[in-house]
mmCIF file of all heavy atoms in Angstrom:
data_model
loop_
_atom_site.group_PDB
_atom_site.id
_atom_site.type_symbol
_atom_site.label_atom_id
_atom_site.label_comp_id
_atom_site.label_asym_id
_atom_site.label_seq_id
_atom_site.Cartn_x
_atom_site.Cartn_y
_atom_site.Cartn_z
ATOM 1 N N ARG F 241 95.998 3.159 7.621
ATOM 2 C CA ARG F 241 94.527 3.046 7.591
ATOM 3 C C ARG F 241 93.820 3.991 8.550
ATOM 4 O O ARG F 241 92.620 4.248 8.418
ATOM 5 C CB ARG F 241 94.128 1.606 7.958
ATOM 6 C CG ARG F 241 93.643 0.784 6.781
ATOM 7 C CD ARG F 241 93.344 -0.630 7.219
ATOM 8 N NE ARG F 241 92.084 -0.768 7.967
ATOM 9 C CZ ARG F 241 91.779 -1.841 8.700
ATOM 10 N NH1 ARG F 241 92.628 -2.836 8.814
ATOM 11 N NH2 ARG F 241 90.622 -1.904 9.328
ATOM 12 N N MET F 242 94.551 4.512 9.537
ATOM 13 C CA MET F 242 93.916 5.397 10.525
ATOM 14 C C MET F 242 93.179 6.560 9.862
ATOM 15 O O MET F 242 92.126 6.983 10.322
ATOM 16 C CB MET F 242 94.946 5.955 11.522
ATOM 17 C CG MET F 242 95.344 4.985 12.611
ATOM 18 S SD MET F 242 96.617 5.666 13.720
ATOM 19 C CE MET F 242 95.720 6.989 14.535
ATOM 20 N N GLY F 243 93.737 7.071 8.783
ATOM 21 C CA GLY F 243 93.135 8.212 8.087
ATOM 22 C C GLY F 243 91.794 7.871 7.465
ATOM 23 O O GLY F 243 90.894 8.711 7.392
ATOM 24 N N ALA F 244 91.648 6.620 6.998
ATOM 25 C CA ALA F 244 90.384 6.189 6.400
ATOM 26 C C ALA F 244 89.392 5.762 7.475
ATOM 27 O O ALA F 244 88.207 6.067 7.404
ATOM 28 C CB ALA F 244 90.646 5.042 5.422
ATOM 29 N N GLU F 245 89.893 5.064 8.485
ATOM 30 C CA GLU F 245 89.023 4.598 9.576
ATOM 31 C C GLU F 245 88.632 5.747 10.503
ATOM 32 O O GLU F 245 87.597 5.710 11.159
ATOM 33 C CB GLU F 245 89.736 3.529 10.422
ATOM 34 C CG GLU F 245 90.171 2.295 9.653
ATOM 35 C CD GLU F 245 89.058 1.260 9.518
ATOM 36 O OE1 GLU F 245 88.019 1.418 10.186
ATOM 37 O OE2 GLU F 245 89.241 0.315 8.733
ATOM 38 N N ARG F 246 89.500 6.748 10.554
ATOM 39 C CA ARG F 246 89.385 7.849 11.528
ATOM 40 C C ARG F 246 89.198 7.268 12.932
ATOM 41 O O ARG F 246 88.224 7.584 13.634
ATOM 42 C CB ARG F 246 88.249 8.798 11.137
ATOM 43 C CG ARG F 246 88.514 9.477 9.792
ATOM 44 C CD ARG F 246 87.439 10.462 9.436
ATOM 45 N NE ARG F 246 87.440 11.627 10.327
ATOM 46 C CZ ARG F 246 86.515 12.577 10.292
ATOM 47 N NH1 ARG F 246 85.509 12.505 9.430
ATOM 48 N NH2 ARG F 246 86.577 13.608 11.101
ATOM 49 N N ALA F 247 90.152 6.454 13.302
ATOM 50 C CA ALA F 247 90.091 5.761 14.595
ATOM 51 C C ALA F 247 91.499 5.348 15.014
ATOM 52 O O ALA F 247 92.371 5.187 14.158
ATOM 53 C CB ALA F 247 89.198 4.524 14.472
ATOM 54 N N PRO F 248 91.708 5.186 16.326
ATOM 55 C CA PRO F 248 92.998 4.671 16.808
ATOM 56 C C PRO F 248 93.218 3.255 16.297
ATOM 57 O O PRO F 248 92.256 2.479 16.197
ATOM 58 C CB PRO F 248 92.834 4.680 18.337
ATOM 59 C CG PRO F 248 91.678 5.593 18.613
ATOM 60 C CD PRO F 248 90.778 5.483 17.430
ATOM 61 N N VAL F 249 94.461 2.903 15.990
ATOM 62 C CA VAL F 249 94.746 1.600 15.386
ATOM 63 C C VAL F 249 94.278 0.456 16.290
ATOM 64 O O VAL F 249 93.769 -0.567 15.812
ATOM 65 C CB VAL F 249 96.245 1.452 15.010
ATOM 66 C CG1 VAL F 249 97.169 1.541 16.225
ATOM 67 C CG2 VAL F 249 96.499 0.163 14.239
ATOM 68 N N GLY F 250 94.405 0.638 17.598
ATOM 69 C CA GLY F 250 94.010 -0.422 18.536
ATOM 70 C C GLY F 250 92.529 -0.733 18.511
ATOM 71 O O GLY F 250 92.107 -1.811 18.935
ATOM 72 N N SER F 251 91.715 0.201 17.987
ATOM 73 C CA SER F 251 90.274 -0.022 17.977
ATOM 74 C C SER F 251 89.839 -0.919 16.823
ATOM 75 O O SER F 251 88.826 -1.592 16.903
ATOM 76 C CB SER F 251 89.520 1.308 17.925
ATOM 77 O OG SER F 251 89.680 1.919 16.665
ATOM 78 N N TYR F 252 90.606 -0.939 15.726
ATOM 79 C CA TYR F 252 90.204 -1.796 14.592
ATOM 80 C C TYR F 252 91.217 -2.905 14.276
ATOM 81 O O TYR F 252 90.905 -3.810 13.515
ATOM 82 C CB TYR F 252 89.937 -0.957 13.326
ATOM 83 C CG TYR F 252 91.099 -0.113 12.846
ATOM 84 C CD1 TYR F 252 92.100 -0.652 12.057
ATOM 85 C CD2 TYR F 252 91.181 1.229 13.192
ATOM 86 C CE1 TYR F 252 93.167 0.114 11.624
ATOM 87 C CE2 TYR F 252 92.234 2.015 12.767
ATOM 88 C CZ TYR F 252 93.231 1.447 11.986
ATOM 89 O OH TYR F 252 94.285 2.210 11.580
ATOM 90 N N ALA F 253 92.434 -2.795 14.826
ATOM 91 C CA ALA F 253 93.422 -3.855 14.611
ATOM 92 C C ALA F 253 94.215 -4.074 15.892
ATOM 93 O O ALA F 253 95.416 -3.849 15.949
ATOM 94 C CB ALA F 253 94.358 -3.483 13.455
ATOM 95 N N PRO F 254 93.508 -4.536 16.944
ATOM 96 C CA PRO F 254 94.151 -4.592 18.263
ATOM 97 C C PRO F 254 95.376 -5.497 18.335
ATOM 98 O O PRO F 254 96.246 -5.263 19.158
ATOM 99 C CB PRO F 254 93.031 -5.105 19.188
ATOM 100 C CG PRO F 254 91.990 -5.671 18.291
ATOM 101 C CD PRO F 254 92.109 -4.972 16.981
ATOM 102 N N SER F 255 95.439 -6.500 17.469
ATOM 103 C CA SER F 255 96.590 -7.399 17.590
ATOM 104 C C SER F 255 97.723 -7.031 16.642
ATOM 105 O O SER F 255 98.748 -7.708 16.609
ATOM 106 C CB SER F 255 96.148 -8.850 17.391
ATOM 107 O OG SER F 255 95.489 -8.960 16.151
ATOM 108 N N ALA F 256 97.556 -5.958 15.877
ATOM 109 C CA ALA F 256 98.641 -5.529 14.983
ATOM 110 C C ALA F 256 99.862 -5.118 15.803
ATOM 111 O O ALA F 256 99.728 -4.582 16.905
ATOM 112 C CB ALA F 256 98.172 -4.355 14.122
ATOM 113 N N GLU F 257 101.038 -5.363 15.245
ATOM 114 C CA GLU F 257 102.279 -5.043 15.959
ATOM 115 C C GLU F 257 102.325 -3.571 16.364
ATOM 116 O O GLU F 257 102.733 -3.227 17.476
ATOM 117 C CB GLU F 257 103.492 -5.384 15.072
ATOM 118 C CG GLU F 257 104.810 -5.237 15.810
ATOM 119 C CD GLU F 257 106.033 -5.332 14.875
ATOM 120 O OE1 GLU F 257 105.858 -5.729 13.699
ATOM 121 O OE2 GLU F 257 107.128 -4.988 15.341
ATOM 122 N N ALA F 258 101.867 -2.698 15.477
ATOM 123 C CA ALA F 258 101.909 -1.255 15.766
ATOM 124 C C ALA F 258 100.978 -0.899 16.927
ATOM 125 O O ALA F 258 101.315 -0.078 17.781
ATOM 126 C CB ALA F 258 101.535 -0.457 14.521
ATOM 127 N N ALA F 259 99.817 -1.544 16.978
ATOM 128 C CA ALA F 259 98.867 -1.272 18.068
ATOM 129 C C ALA F 259 99.480 -1.704 19.393
ATOM 130 O O ALA F 259 99.395 -0.992 20.405
ATOM 131 C CB ALA F 259 97.545 -2.002 17.817
ATOM 132 N N ARG F 260 100.118 -2.873 19.378
ATOM 133 C CA ARG F 260 100.752 -3.355 20.616
ATOM 134 C C ARG F 260 101.910 -2.441 21.017
ATOM 135 O O ARG F 260 102.135 -2.206 22.204
ATOM 136 C CB ARG F 260 101.210 -4.798 20.441
ATOM 137 C CG ARG F 260 100.036 -5.779 20.344
ATOM 138 C CD ARG F 260 100.471 -7.186 20.724
ATOM 139 N NE ARG F 260 101.698 -7.550 20.022
ATOM 140 C CZ ARG F 260 101.732 -8.214 18.877
ATOM 141 N NH1 ARG F 260 100.617 -8.613 18.308
ATOM 142 N NH2 ARG F 260 102.880 -8.497 18.311
ATOM 143 N N ALA F 261 102.622 -1.920 20.013
ATOM 144 C CA ALA F 261 103.752 -1.026 20.317
ATOM 145 C C ALA F 261 103.263 0.247 21.010
ATOM 146 O O ALA F 261 103.875 0.708 21.978
ATOM 147 C CB ALA F 261 104.502 -0.682 19.028
#
Side-chain angles (χ1 to χ4, degrees):
R241 254 177 76 196
M242 281 177 67
E245 301 275 350
R246 297 183 68 186
V249 62
S251 70
Y252 58 83
S255 55
E257 187 190 348
R260 291 203 311 266

